[in-house]
Amino acid sequence: MFRLVDASFAIDDKQILSATNLTFAEGKITTLLGHNGCGKSTLIKLLSRQNHPTSGGVLYKEQPVEALSNIEFAHQVAYLPQHPPLTDGVTVRELVCFGRYPWKGAFGRYNDQDYAIVDDAIAKVGLSKFADRFVATLSGGERQRAWVAMLLAQQSQTILLDEPTSALDVAHQHELLALIRELNQSLNLTVIMVLHDVNMAAKFSDHLVALHSGRVIASGSPQQLMNRDTLQKIYGMELALFPHPQTGQPISYIP
């Protein structure tokens, strides 16, 4: 779906992301990992067109992303930033309706089909009973589900999530990522997201991309990256591993 071709990003001659070549698989979950300031959010902002590469290019379905109009791009790609806008005075249904904007425009009227898509998106994230509640009154996990529902209502093939679990406790992190995995599998969504927790990333991703100091230092399946040497390179500290007692999946911890 997405492909970076020697894409880099700099601010005031400071290199934030070095020339990067990456391909993101369709219908899979790819997670970007690394310490703070390593270039994860910069990379996802290039994919979402929030930033433009200083050099190189970003392709979507082999077409330069800048060649697509805003509406064309929104029909294909939905993006949730790390800090979404405030939602004071907005109900869950009203928030999810914003996802129809790329299809209707500022003055387009919503029809029965639009409202059916909105209600279906709310149902898919398990918030039907909260549809008329103000978003601000929901728990952190419920608010994130509401934002995901808005992305679903946009009916894009690819969703980009910048640290969707950053403000959530462990239980709600797991709940949200399990929902994203279920939507990925049931709707064949392509998901690219930024996470900090390597264990959560390994559990819910098909592919991991690790960055350090603006460079990709490892890329592969969770099984390929979950080893001591690679984790040492990513985080700059020694992490030990043990197999999950039921699945055998490697789990990292600080010894």
Side-chain angles (χ1 to χ4, degrees), residues 92-217:
V92 170
R93 182 173 280 110
E94 288 169 341
L95 175 65
V96 178
C97 279
F98 293 151
R100 299 303 299 155
Y101 176 83
W103 300 93
K104 311 302 290 189
F107 303 106
R109 292 188 176 184
Y110 289 6
N111 56 32
D112 289 343
Q113 182 182 10
D114 292 307
Y115 289 119
I117 291 169
V118 167
D119 287 340
D120 181 61
I122 294 171
K124 279 186 168 66
V125 303
L127 289 181
S128 293
K129 65 181 180 180
F130 299 128
D132 296 319
R133 283 265 302 271
F134 289 113
V135 177
T137 67
L138 302 179
S139 70
E142 291 162 350
R143 280 198 298 272
Q144 286 299 80
R145 283 173 170 263
W147 284 107
V148 170
M150 188 195 73
L151 301 187
L152 294 180
Q154 194 171 323
Q155 292 189 307
S156 305
Q157 296 175 299
T158 301
I159 62 174
L160 308 175
L161 306 168
D162 191 355
E163 298 194 33
T165 63
S166 61
L168 304 181
D169 59 40
V170 173
H172 284 108
Q173 287 181 36
H174 189 278
E175 183 182 73
L176 180 67
L177 293 174
L179 170 66
I180 291 169
R181 169 55 95 184
E182 191 278 325
L183 295 171
N184 153 254
Q185 294 178 336
S186 62
L187 303 176
N188 195 36
L189 286 176
T190 301
V191 180
I192 304 170
M193 60 182 175
V194 172
L195 292 179
H196 278 293
D197 190 315
V198 66
N199 290 319
M200 290 287 193
K203 180 177 176 63
F204 292 107
S205 305
D206 300 297
H207 193 85
L208 303 178
V209 175
L211 294 99
H212 192 289
S213 303
R215 297 181 182 276
V216 174
I217 60 170

